[in-house]
């Protein structure tokens, strides 16, 4: 297992309702991250169709459909692990899902978002399970966007207790059309949430948002503004992406993994020696 990871943070533009365009764009970011010698590249939430887009009802695919296969092929071709958010069709249900793909194109972990915002509740069903992946990179937990919000940090607590050495999180961070970042700088909510997990568990968290605009639904015309964030387990910021609906870029962050002591199938991370902590 690695002691740290070199992470590509693909703050890419997502074109709403255009999965083919978005998947080709994602493949280009996978290639760029591999050329930059990254161990893993993290892509945004619902990168195929766009978060909250009502066209998901017609466009969503089963888990290992064409979109997944395009990501898996790029991972295999370029020898890099990939974490990506996709809209998943399962029978009559749609899920806001994420996949962790290894460097041979195999599926290591599949997560369905648990804390979906009410404005998207008419589109996505709610996930009902958590897991970590024991990979050659380390023990990886996957969450999606608001799964890491202050009111749902129990998800991060569980992943930490399962032994996660890092949480990788596809996101779609959006603001109202009239939001002024100079008056109200974006990102403090996520810095607090990620910082809580760092404080309790020495657990690094990396969230990667797309950029662009939401074209329909409850948040029509809202801006998706990047600001992707990588926080180390000591609470320091390894990387912060630029703000803006046009702020597309690949960011590279070097993040030490949480140190754990395995005991059979269990994991010990004794926080009792680090002073009092409020859960």
């Amino acid at each position: 297992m690695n002691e740290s990871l070199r992470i590509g943070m693909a703050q890419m533009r997502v074109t709403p309702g255009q999965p083919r365009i978005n998947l080709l764009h994602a493949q280009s970011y996978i290639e760029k991250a591999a050329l930059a010698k990254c161990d893993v590249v993290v892509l945004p939430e619902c990168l195929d169709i766009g978060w909250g887009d009502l066209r998901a009802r017609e466009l969503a695919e089963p888990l290992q459909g064409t979109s997944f296969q395009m990501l898996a092929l790029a991972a295999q071709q370029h020898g890099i692990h990939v974490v990506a958010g996709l809209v998943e069709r399962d029978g009559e249900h749609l899920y806001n899902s994420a996949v962790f793909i290894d460097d041979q194109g195999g599926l290591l972990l599949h997560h369905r978002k648990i804390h979906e915002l009410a404005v998207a509740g008419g589109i996505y069903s709610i996930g009902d399970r958590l897991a970590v992946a024991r990979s050659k990179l380390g023990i990886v937990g996957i969450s999606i966007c608001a799964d890491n919000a202050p009111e749902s940090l129990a998800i991060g607590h569980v992943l930490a207790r399962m032994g996660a050495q890092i949480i990788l999180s596809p996101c779609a961070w959006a603001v109202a059309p009239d939001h002024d970042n100079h008056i109200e700088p974006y990102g403090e909510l996520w810095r607090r949430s990620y910082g809580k997990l760092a404080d309790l568990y020495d657990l690094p968290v990396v969230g990667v948002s797309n950029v662009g605009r939401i074209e329909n639904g409850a948040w029509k015309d809202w801006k998706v503004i990047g600001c992707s964030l990588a926080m180390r387990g000591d609470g320091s910021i390894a990387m912060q992406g630029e703000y803006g609906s046009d702020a597309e870029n690949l960011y590279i962050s070097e993040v030490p993994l949480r140190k754990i002591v395995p005991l059979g199938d269990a994991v010990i991370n004794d926080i009792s020696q680090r002073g009092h902590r409020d859960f």
Side-chain angles (χ1 to χ4, degrees):
M1 289 187 182
N2 299 27
E3 292 187 357
S4 65
L5 293 182
R6 183 171 172 86
I7 301 170
M9 302 167 62
Q11 187 169 294
M12 60 174 271
R13 176 175 298 280
V14 170
T15 303
Q18 297 292 331
R20 177 71 179 176
I21 291 172
N22 293 327
L23 267 296
L24 290 171
H25 200 33
Q27 285 183 322
S28 74
Y29 269 94
I30 292 169
E31 181 179 9
K32 290 175 187 176
L35 290 172
K37 307 298 183 185
C38 293
D39 300 299
V40 60
V41 57
V42 183
L43 297 151
E45 176 180 13
C46 298
L47 73 84
D48 49 348
I49 299 167
W51 178 82
D53 196 291
L54 300 176
R55 287 166 288 193
R57 293 167 182 152
E58 291 76 43
L59 296 172
E61 300 174 341
L63 176 63
Q64 297 197 39
T66 301
S67 295
F68 173 87
Q69 295 300 332
M70 290 179 71
L71 296 173
L73 178 61
Q76 181 183 36
Q77 287 178 331
H78 300 293
I80 185 172
H81 288 66
V82 174
V83 173
L86 298 171
V87 183
E88 174 197 354
R89 183 183 301 280
D90 185 0
E92 296 181 355
H93 296 277
L94 300 184
Y95 293 93
N96 182 344
S97 294
V99 292
F100 179 30
I101 303 168
D102 70 17
D103 56 1
Q104 299 302 306
L107 178 63
L108 293 175
L109 185 61
H110 165 223
H111 172 67
R112 290 170 170 172
K113 189 176 182 181
I114 294 171
H115 182 198
E116 189 56 76
L117 300 187
V119 294
I123 305 173
Y124 311 115
S125 297
I126 303 302
D128 62 1
R129 65 203 66 192
L130 286 170
V132 295
R134 286 166 169 79
S135 73
K136 66 183 181 183
L137 300 183
I139 305 174
V140 176
I142 304 296
S143 62
I144 300 174
C145 201
D147 283 342
N148 296 312
E151 62 270 30
S152 55
L153 266 187
I155 294 168
H157 293 315
V158 171
L159 292 174
R161 294 297 181 180
M162 288 178 166
Q165 294 179 276
I166 191 168
I167 293 176
L168 302 176
S169 183
C171 301
W173 290 339
V175 296
D178 61 352
H179 179 260
D180 188 329
N181 201 51
H182 297 290
I183 296 173
E184 186 182 0
Y186 187 84
E188 178 59 25
L189 179 147
W190 305 113
R191 287 189 291 272
R192 288 200 317 270
S193 289
Y194 291 13
K196 187 70 171 178
L197 295 175
D199 181 47
L200 287 169
Y201 305 108
D202 293 325
L203 180 63
V205 184
V206 178
V208 177
S209 173
N210 63 294
V211 301
R213 287 187 180 269
I214 297 172
E215 289 188 352
N216 56 53
W219 282 8
K220 185 178 184 294
D221 294 329
W222 280 45
K223 301 178 289 186
V224 191
I225 44 72
C227 276
S228 302
L229 175 65
M231 182 172 286
R232 301 183 186 94
D234 63 5
S236 63
I237 294 175
M239 180 60 67
Q240 176 83 67
E242 286 188 41
Y243 169 99
S245 57
D246 295 315
E248 183 171 15
N249 204 356
L250 176 68
Y251 298 97
I252 309 295
S253 59
E254 297 276 355
V255 179
L257 294 176
R258 172 193 182 203
K259 292 180 172 61
I260 57 172
V261 180
L263 182 62
D265 290 333
V267 173
I268 299 174
N269 180 242
D270 186 2
I271 64 172
S272 64
Q273 302 304 315
R274 304 177 59 214
H276 176 71
R277 294 291 183 267
D278 295 320
F279 287 85

